[in-house]
Amino acid sequence: MFSPKRYARLKWACRRGMLELDVLFLPFVETGFKDMSFEQQEVFERLLTSDDPDLFAWFMGHQQCQDPELAAMVKHILGRVKV
């Protein structure tokens, strides 16, 4: 379980330099993050350490993420956002 302080840092990390990423991450962390397992939450936290251009390319479908865990998280987030 993420402590309130760690969750607050994670939420802050969702604020990116690109509006397109903010629109994906901020609603997801507020509505879908707590529904995930601790392992998935840690993968999401690791995803946020990626560079914005890479994240943008993965989420817009321009490139495929080579890390299987991160690629699965991208797919998970996109599935929640499109519902």
Side-chain angles (χ1 to χ4, degrees), residues 39-40 42-51 54-55 57-59 63-77:
E39 291 78 18
Q40 288 175 309
E42 288 189 320
V43 171
F44 179 72
E45 185 177 45
R46 190 163 59 90
L47 178 71
L48 295 178
T49 65
S50 302
D51 294 330
D54 291 332
L55 290 168
W58 299 337
F59 279 97
Q63 291 179 354
Q64 179 70 27
C65 177
Q66 298 305 308
D67 182 310
E69 286 184 328
L70 296 184
M73 184 56 60
V74 168
K75 185 176 180 180
H76 178 75
I77 294 169

Side-chain angles (χ1 to χ4, degrees), residues 4-62:
K5 187 175 183 177
R6 187 173 177 188
Y7 177 74
R9 271 192 243 131
L10 181 84
K11 195 171 175 181
W12 182 258
C14 287
R15 300 181 65 181
R16 311 301 291 201
M18 300 176 93
L19 178 61
E20 297 87 349
L21 296 175
D22 289 350
V23 170
L24 289 170
F25 290 145
L26 289 172
F28 176 78
V29 79
E30 291 174 354
T31 61
F33 180 77
K34 293 182 180 178
D35 295 337
M36 295 190 300
S37 69
F38 182 73
E39 291 78 18
Q40 288 175 309
Q41 290 175 346
E42 288 189 320
V43 171
F44 179 72
E45 185 177 45
R46 190 163 59 90
L47 178 71
L48 295 178
T49 65
S50 302
D51 294 330
D52 284 358
D54 291 332
L55 290 168
F56 182 79
W58 299 337
F59 279 97
M60 297 303 129
H62 300 277

